[in-house]
Structure formats: structure tokens, C-alpha cells
Amino acid sequence: MPTPDKQLSAEQSRHVAETIREEIARRRISRQTLAEQAKLSLSTLEKVLGGRRPFTLATTVRLEQALGVPLRKLPDVVTIAPPVNGEVAPDSLGSYARRAVARIEGTYVTVRPSFGDKDAIYAYRTVIAWDEAASSLGFRESERQDSDYTQFGEVAVPNESGFVYLVTNRHGQHRVITVSRPRNSGEMYGIITTLLAGRGAVLTPIAAPIAFLPLKNIANPSLGRISSEDANYKVYREHLRRTVDEPFAILLQG
């Protein structure tokens, strides 16, 4: 017998429906258009948006892929619940148990070099939390100055390499962040591989060092494009230098 598709809770379904209605209004598209893009029937979409049927995981994933935005909300403040049987990620993400990755869950200030200003640093917030529906860690970025490029996705933690992979996959287009396991103080260091938006529709592959700093370790975090005059600039710069100097990542020039 086929395995029944997991249903979202009533609260999750309300959140998903509200987000979808906002996206439809913001983009000025019809429900019919969205249903076609998500490969759903209009009837199904109408029922879940109207609260007459709960969202299933499969339907939600299709809508996330069609809209390119996260619909399943991750908590802003991460709390770690006691592990229960079945809290194991799929093999494609490393088959890790929730108990084994509890130290990775949290809210981070993420810093990397600014792609638009060689002397500046770019900082934003990232939440890594257990996604009950997917039975794995998920991540979501927020408070990015370039909000159109906000990322969310899955977290892989394979035993073989000992690294953590934050993977965005939108219609086959990937962005990958590879970082170390958390140090004793909680920081994770590594490299980001993504695309740089240029003039018009031009995109260029780009790689840069990146650091995840536990929010609790930064007294008054600065977000956005950070210049040398900012109080946190020196601290952020030292963390990025550590990424390459120790080294947690190696950047080679041809």
C-alpha cells in the first residue's frame, strides 16, 4: 500500500495559506497560474487556501518550488525538544539523528565578504532548526539587505567528511555552503559557492569564505553591509580571516 502523505498541522496550514496569499497579491498572479506552476489542480489549491483541507507535505513542497520562497516556518527562537523514535534524517542528508546534531541548531549571525564592495562585509541572520515535516535540519536566512536573494533549504551532515552542508535547490539551481562542525564556542567556518548577480541577466559563479557566529556570542550584532567604521567590523573581519588562515577553507587562484 502507498504511504499516505503527511499532513501539516492546522497552525502550519494557516501560516502556509497566509504566506501564499501574500505572494499571490505581491506578484499579481492568479491562483490558476500558481496551480499550473506547482502542477496542482485549481480545486486543490482553492481548498487548502480556504482552509477546507489541510496542506500536505507534498503539496507544500510543490508550492515552495513554484514560488521560490519558504512556506514552512522555522522558529525564530530555537528550542530543542527531547528526541523521539524516528527523528532521523534521510540517507541523502547523512542519516543523522536529531540528538547527534543538536549543537548545530540555533540562530547565527552569518558573515561573508560583500560582493558589491571589496572593503565591506555582508552580515545577515540564519536560523538552523529541526524541520519536523522533513525529519531533518533546515535553514532559513533573514534580515538580508538584498531580501530578494534570501535562501532556505536543507542541511546535510554526513559522518564521512565531518562537515555541514547548507544546500539551496531551486528548480535545479544550487547554492552550497560548506562549513565545519561547531567549535566549542559554537562558530562554524567554511566556504560559500553561489552566483553573483551582474548587469541585466548576467550571473557569475563566485566563492568566498563564510562564518556562522552564534547570535548569543555577539552583544549588539550589526546586519547588512558592514563598513570599516562599524563597531563589529573588526570582529567580523577576524572571523573571516580565521576561515582562511587556520585554514577551514582553501581558496586557490588559477
Side-chain angles (χ1 to χ4, degrees):
M1 294 179 62
T3 303
D5 191 11
K6 183 172 182 178
Q7 292 183 348
L8 274 60
S9 67
E11 181 181 354
Q12 288 175 318
S13 291
R14 284 193 297 271
H15 170 77
V16 170
E18 181 180 345
T19 304
I20 291 173
R21 286 194 291 267
E22 290 175 355
E23 288 295 324
I24 288 174
R26 185 174 66 84
R27 302 179 189 208
R28 298 181 180 178
I29 61 174
S30 67
R31 293 187 176 186
Q32 179 67 55
T33 298
L34 176 57
E36 292 173 355
Q37 292 174 345
K39 296 180 172 59
L40 298 170
S41 69
L42 178 58
S43 174
T44 296
L45 182 60
E46 293 283 4
K47 287 177 181 177
V48 291
L49 288 181
R52 299 191 301 276
R53 178 188 297 178
F55 281 86
T56 64
L57 179 58
T59 297
T60 306
V61 169
R62 287 189 181 188
L63 288 164
E64 285 180 335
Q65 292 174 341
L67 292 169
V69 298
L71 297 175
R72 289 166 290 167
K73 185 178 181 181
L74 292 175
D76 292 327
V77 177
V78 177
T79 56
I80 302 174
V84 297
N85 292 336
E87 289 191 335
V88 178
D91 180 69
S92 60
L93 297 178
S95 299
Y96 53 84
R98 183 177 185 182
R99 186 192 300 273
V101 296
R103 289 191 64 239
I104 299 173
E105 292 191 77
T107 302
Y108 298 85
V109 176
T110 307
V111 297
R112 62 161 171 78
S114 169
F115 295 159
D117 182 345
K118 64 182 181 64
D119 296 320
I121 295 173
Y122 194 65
Y124 51 91
R125 187 188 300 257
T126 302
V127 172
I128 299 177
W130 188 263
D131 185 337
E132 297 286 353
S135 189
S136 67
L137 289 176
F139 77 93
R140 184 189 69 216
E141 300 172 350
S142 65
E143 298 182 61
R144 286 186 55 147
Q145 197 172 61
D146 54 347
S147 58
D148 288 344
Y149 297 98
T150 296
Q151 305 286 327
F152 65 96
E154 301 173 318
V155 179
V157 191
N159 287 324
E160 287 79 2
S161 70
F163 281 83
V164 179
Y165 302 85
L166 286 75
V167 183
T168 297
N169 178 3
R170 296 292 167 267
H171 309 292
Q173 181 170 294
H174 284 66
R175 187 199 70 168
V176 180
I177 296 174
T178 306
V179 291
S180 63
R181 300 285 181 103
R183 306 187 72 186
N184 289 338
S185 51
E187 294 88 1
M188 299 189 292
Y189 301 98
I191 191 170
I192 178 175
T193 306
T194 186
L195 295 174
L196 172 65
R199 296 180 178 178
V202 176
L203 296 172
T204 305
I206 189 170
I210 194 167
F212 286 76
L213 316 177
L215 182 64
K216 63 184 180 182
N217 293 355
I218 310 295
N220 295 294
S222 306
L223 302 176
R225 184 171 284 119
I226 311 302
S227 67
S228 58
E229 290 79 22
D230 190 279
N232 286 310
Y233 180 85
K234 184 176 180 180
V235 173
Y236 290 173
R237 178 63 70 189
E238 285 301 316
H239 280 292
L240 288 178
R241 285 176 178 165
R242 181 177 298 173
T243 299
V244 177
D245 290 347
E246 292 210 6
F248 289 93
I250 299 175
L251 301 175
L252 298 179
Q253 293 187 356

